[in-house]
Amino acid sequence: MSSRVLCFVSLLLCIFPAIAFALHLPLTLTHFDANGPSRDPYQILSYLASSSLARAHHLKNPQITATATSDATTTTPLFSHSYGGYSISLSFGTPPQILPFVMDTGSDFVWFPCTHRYVCKNCSFSPSSDQNVTIPSFIPKLSSSSRLVGCRNPKCSWVHHTNKTQCDECRNSFTPQNCTQACPPYFLLYGPGTTAGVALSETLNLGDRTVSNFLVGCSIFSSRQPAGIAGFGRGLPSLPTQLKLHKFSYCLISRRFDDSPSSSTLILDSTSDMDRKTNGLIYTPFIKNPIVRGKEAFQVYYYVGLRKITVGGRRVKVPRKFLSPGKNGNGGTIVDSGSTFTFMAHEIFEPLAVEFVKQVKNYSRARDVEVLTGLRPCFDVKDMGKPVELPELRLHFKGGAEIALPLENYFAVVGEGVACLTVVTDGDVGGGKAVVGHSGPAVVLGSFQMQNYYVEYDLRNQRLGLKPQLCI
């Protein structure tokens, strides 16, 4: 991998010579290729469960960003294709070039596929296809505002999350202030996928505004990443930080629109300068992020205080140590738009699943579907002659905020009337062992559970706002 990345980096380097606003953007559901070789519902659910677990593994055990010149390796499990997500379109360059980006609140770097030589391995949307696909790429030589980020540029340290970048020419130079060496290439991990490239300073075009000197990654090689990623996390290189946003919000359309061009809206807002709450929202404060050496990515996440979980009005017995992040970074709950299904540590998931099985008396278990999908429990709900009734799942947060999830947000109906709980945990998935472990967040709230909810990240007042809303 490293030699291949270096080859692409050398080709890329030859291409270059040696706010107050509220913006509404369409938010589109990233869907499977309808023309792909498989639309089997069991396989799709299995794929989503597996990719959600791979994502949780990465979030709980993040790797430090490495340069492409290092020998860094990863043990992160790789699945057939990229995890599902929601995408936005952003415009970079002079003149503008428009590209799709996966919106990701669990990371803090913005990058796009770059140059005519961009290569992406195993990037088909279809969960059973291993074919490579053509992905729109940014072409730096067509933009008069593209510049390589220099090694002495402070933004170089944003890319690598360290002040000690491998800038040999600058470090050994008698006149380091005149150093012209470029910022070292990056190599990023996203659980089921990777990407590598170099840092650019480029112009971001937002409606009638332009934001110059925006730090963005020019990726020339990726694996299982069908689009660029717009990091919305808490780090310095994230899109909200670079734009100095006071808040951003979105409403995720239902997954029944998987094969539809329907979209909802992402709102980027830098005008809010008061503590005023948005009408109709319930709020819970962001929790202080743990600071753990070697796990700097924990500081990027949006932690919230999950106090308890109830099923059918009954409290699920969860060890308290899993609900709050400790000094070692273990425990706590994060909100992650890049995850599909919610992940829960084994110690939380098992009593949750047991409570569902205990309360569901009118449906039988569909254990064969559990094996096929990697989800559990699953219930046979067909031929009942009346609407499906399953116990309510309610999440209770610090500050009094509660979410009573609609049934379609935590159970998915598959095949001929089988409903499966869309929460994953470490253990057997699709016939393979996927051990996530105890490090990092104990709960990762995924996008499936946030369908048809208006979600506001109030960065100025450090709180998360929520309300049920039909996202159309």
Side-chain angles (χ1 to χ4, degrees):
M1 168 72 79
S2 296
S3 60
R4 181 177 294 178
V5 170
L6 278 175
C7 178
F8 281 109
V9 169
S10 63
L11 288 172
L12 176 64
L13 294 179
C14 294
I15 297 174
F16 296 91
I19 73 183
F21 72 106
L23 183 70
H24 294 226
L25 296 175
L27 189 62
T28 305
L29 180 66
T30 300
H31 59 80
F32 295 115
D33 183 358
N35 297 318
S38 173
R39 293 294 296 167
D40 181 86
Y42 300 107
Q43 188 176 30
I44 290 175
L45 273 187
S46 177
Y47 160 72
L48 291 175
S50 297
S51 61
S52 297
L53 265 180
R55 172 72 172 184
H57 185 283
H58 167 67
L59 293 172
K60 291 165 68 62
N61 300 279
Q63 302 292 321
I64 299 176
T65 301
T67 66
T69 57
S70 71
D71 293 324
T73 59
T74 179
T75 59
T76 303
L78 297 178
F79 296 83
S80 297
H81 301 276
S82 173
Y83 50 82
Y86 291 79
S87 67
I88 58 174
S89 293
L90 295 175
S91 172
F92 282 93
T94 308
Q97 300 177 45
I98 301 175
L99 296 169
F101 292 79
V102 174
M103 184 194 67
D104 184 10
T105 62
S107 65
D108 68 345
F109 190 54
V110 181
W111 65 267
F112 44 48
C114 198
T115 81
H116 290 297
R117 298 182 176 91
Y118 177 73
V119 173
C120 192
K121 293 293 185 179
N122 304 322
C123 289
S124 171
F125 283 108
S126 171
S128 67
S129 172
D130 204 33
Q131 301 173 357
N132 296 324
V133 294
T134 300
I135 297 176
S137 297
F138 183 84
I139 310 301
K141 69 180 181 180
L142 299 181
S143 172
S144 61
S145 52
S146 284
R147 299 288 185 273
L148 282 170
V149 172
C151 203
R152 294 184 60 81
N153 188 323
K155 292 183 180 180
C156 182
S157 64
W158 296 5
V159 180
H160 298 282
H161 290 205
T162 177
N163 291 324
K164 297 180 179 179
T165 53
Q166 298 177 9
C167 301
D168 295 334
E169 178 185 324
C170 298
R171 185 169 57 248
N172 299 327
S173 175
F174 291 107
T175 56
Q177 66 274 13
N178 297 324
C179 176
T180 59
Q181 183 178 355
C183 183
Y186 60 80
F187 179 60
L188 302 176
L189 312 173
Y190 288 94
T194 60
T195 192
V198 295
L200 297 183
S201 175
E202 190 45 285
T203 295
L204 171 61
N205 307 284
L206 292 172
D208 58 356
R209 287 185 55 88
T210 58
V211 181
S212 59
N213 300 317
F214 189 97
L215 174 67
V216 63
C218 171
S219 285
I220 52 178
F221 179 87
S222 297
S223 173
R224 298 175 173 87
Q225 297 296 327
I229 289 181
F232 274 72
R234 289 172 138 176
L236 290 174
S238 77
L239 190 143
T241 302
Q242 291 199 66
L243 295 183
K244 298 180 174 59
L245 298 182
H246 290 166
K247 66 174 63 172
F248 67 92
S249 55
Y250 53 76
C251 195
L252 303 181
I253 61 175
S254 171
R255 294 231 167 223
R256 67 175 178 271
F257 292 135
D258 274 1
D259 298 316
S260 165
S262 300
S263 65
S264 57
T265 301
L266 168 69
I267 301 175
L268 309 177
D269 189 354
S270 63
T271 62
S272 303
D273 57 358
M274 298 182 295
D275 294 337
R276 183 171 59 86
K277 297 181 178 180
T278 302
N279 291 337
L281 295 191
I282 53 174
Y283 286 89
T284 184
F286 289 129
I287 302 300
K288 184 178 180 180
N289 294 40
I291 301 176
V292 182
R293 185 175 182 180
K295 298 292 179 70
E296 285 75 13
F298 290 171
Q299 299 175 50
V300 173
Y301 305 155
Y302 291 100
Y303 280 86
V304 291
L306 180 62
R307 293 178 52 250
K308 66 178 179 179
I309 304 171
T310 57
V311 172
R314 297 179 184 176
R315 183 168 185 166
V316 177
K317 294 182 179 179
V318 176
R320 293 187 61 85
K321 68 177 182 178
F322 290 97
L323 295 181
S324 298
K327 293 182 179 180
N328 57 2
N330 300 339
T333 299
I334 67 171
V335 183
D336 177 40
S337 67
S339 295
T340 303
F341 297 151
T342 287
F343 167 86
M344 293 184 179
H346 187 77
E347 291 81 356
I348 301 176
F349 175 84
E350 289 303 331
L352 177 78
V354 167
E355 192 60 47
F356 271 109
V357 172
K358 185 186 303 183
Q359 293 189 35
V360 176
K361 304 294 186 182
N362 50 338
Y363 305 123
S364 60
R365 289 281 292 274
R367 296 186 183 276
D368 55 337
V369 176
E370 293 176 6
V371 173
L372 289 172
T373 63
L375 296 172
R376 62 183 173 94
C378 294
F379 301 101
D380 187 343
V381 298
K382 66 177 179 294
D383 300 329
M384 298 301 295
K386 57 183 179 180
V388 176
E389 295 184 1
L390 291 165
E392 177 193 72
L393 175 60
R394 187 180 291 258
L395 306 177
H396 306 252
F397 296 93
K398 184 177 181 180
E402 295 183 3
I403 300 179
L405 292 176
L407 185 60
E408 60 269 21
N409 282 28
Y410 59 101
F411 269 94
V413 177
V414 61
E416 298 180 359
V418 175
C420 294
L421 179 66
T422 53
V423 177
V424 298
T425 190
D426 41 338
D428 290 325
V429 175
K433 195 71 171 177
V435 179
V436 178
H438 290 90
S439 65
V443 178
V444 179
L445 293 177
S447 61
F448 194 89
Q449 279 61 48
M450 293 291 101
Q451 298 173 91
N452 289 316
Y453 261 85
Y454 184 88
V455 184
E456 177 186 276
Y457 294 73
D458 187 343
L459 307 179
R460 180 181 177 86
N461 297 296
Q462 290 297 296
R463 61 194 179 190
L464 183 76
L466 299 159
K467 72 172 178 180
Q469 176 176 305
L470 184 60
C471 304
I472 56 177

